[in-house]
Amino acid sequence: MIRVVVVDDQELVRAGFCALLDADPGIELVGEAGDGLSAVELVRSHRTDVVLMDIRMPGMNGIEATRLIRAMPDPPEVLILTTFDTDENAFDALAAGAAGFLVKDTPPVQLLQAIQAADSGGAVISPATTRRLVDHLVAARMQRDRPVPAGLETLTEREREVLALVARGCSNREIATRLRIAELTTKTHVSRILTKLGLDSRVQAAALAYQTGLVKPGD
């Protein structure tokens, strides 16, 4: 028997999950809670294998509750079930120790399979979330493996600061004001940057700053 706790602040939602679990002969419903703190106390007082955890709840949210539960000796696995399928929620949940991240409209059969998988030590993530996480990992890998153009590593810390401001569209006067240096000194820095990088213009320098990740869109 897989011992399961259901945590959700909406009574109707909890009732639906509990009815589904009660109908499965391989699952024992240990109890239910309407907030994170009650969930932590329930798990501490009852032997539990898997916790179905909502995120947005009054008082302690599901992420913090997951973190506390996973810090217990011999903790149960936690499956996050949420309406808010965002990258931030997914990353926070997995970082807190959750074994899975699913949306609440997951079909009943798949939810039961997810509980079994979590109890067996597996990880379960909804397909849409998995795709986004993979995209993030690929983007991070590409950024990490991107070769550094010849000369970029020779820039001084000050020259990198100047290059970053050039990429943000700052004029020499604006750069001088921000860095509290003379405008002539700024011109010298820009000239040296172009020479070291083998570039012909500030536009090329700005493009290179974005391509190498020195400056990111939105910075």
Side-chain angles (χ1 to χ4, degrees):
M1 297 287 287
I2 302 176
R3 294 170 292 274
V4 181
V5 164
V6 175
V7 186
D8 197 292
D9 64 331
Q10 297 184 39
E11 186 175 354
L12 185 60
V13 174
R14 290 202 311 272
F17 286 139
C18 289
L20 174 65
L21 300 181
D22 274 334
D24 191 301
I27 291 178
E28 176 186 346
L29 181 61
V30 174
E32 56 183 281
D35 60 79
L37 181 58
S38 298
V40 172
E41 295 174 347
L42 183 60
V43 171
R44 279 178 178 157
S45 58
H46 294 77
R47 186 181 174 189
T48 307
D49 298 313
V50 177
V51 179
L52 297 184
M53 182 77 74
D54 189 20
I55 291 182
R56 297 191 179 183
M57 296 180 290
M60 182 183 295
N61 63 42
I63 300 297
E64 182 60 27
T66 297
R67 188 176 292 109
L68 293 177
I69 288 173
R70 291 298 298 165
M72 297 178 183
D74 192 23
E77 300 294 340
V78 179
L79 282 177
I80 296 293
L81 277 173
T82 181
T83 305
F84 305 98
D85 182 15
T86 67
D87 294 345
E88 181 179 5
N89 282 341
F91 281 118
D92 288 347
L94 297 177
F101 186 90
L102 300 170
V103 291
K104 288 184 179 178
D105 60 358
T106 297
V109 173
Q110 292 182 19
L111 178 57
L112 294 174
Q113 291 174 343
I115 292 173
Q116 294 171 354
D119 182 57
S120 299
V124 185
I125 304 176
S126 67
T129 305
T130 299
R131 176 57 186 269
R132 295 202 310 274
L133 293 178
V134 169
D135 288 343
H136 281 298
L137 290 174
V138 171
R141 177 62 181 270
M142 291 176 65
Q143 181 66 44
R144 186 190 69 191
D145 294 345
R146 180 179 291 159
V148 178
L152 188 59
E153 72 279 3
T154 66
L155 296 183
T156 65
E157 185 64 30
R158 175 62 82 189
E159 288 168 346
R160 285 175 177 266
E161 291 176 342
V162 172
L163 176 56
L165 292 174
V166 168
R168 294 186 177 97
C170 295
S171 66
N172 286 344
R173 178 173 298 178
E174 291 171 331
I175 295 173
T177 300
R178 292 195 182 197
L179 299 183
R180 297 183 179 179
I181 58 179
E183 188 172 348
L184 181 59
T185 303
T186 300
K187 292 180 180 179
T188 301
H189 281 313
V190 173
S191 178
R192 287 177 178 173
I193 291 170
L194 296 179
T195 299
K196 287 183 177 181
L197 300 180
L199 303 174
D200 298 321
S201 68
R202 296 169 70 100
V203 174
Q204 290 179 347
L208 183 63
Y210 281 102
Q211 291 170 0
T212 57
L214 180 64
V215 177
K216 297 179 177 61
D219 283 353

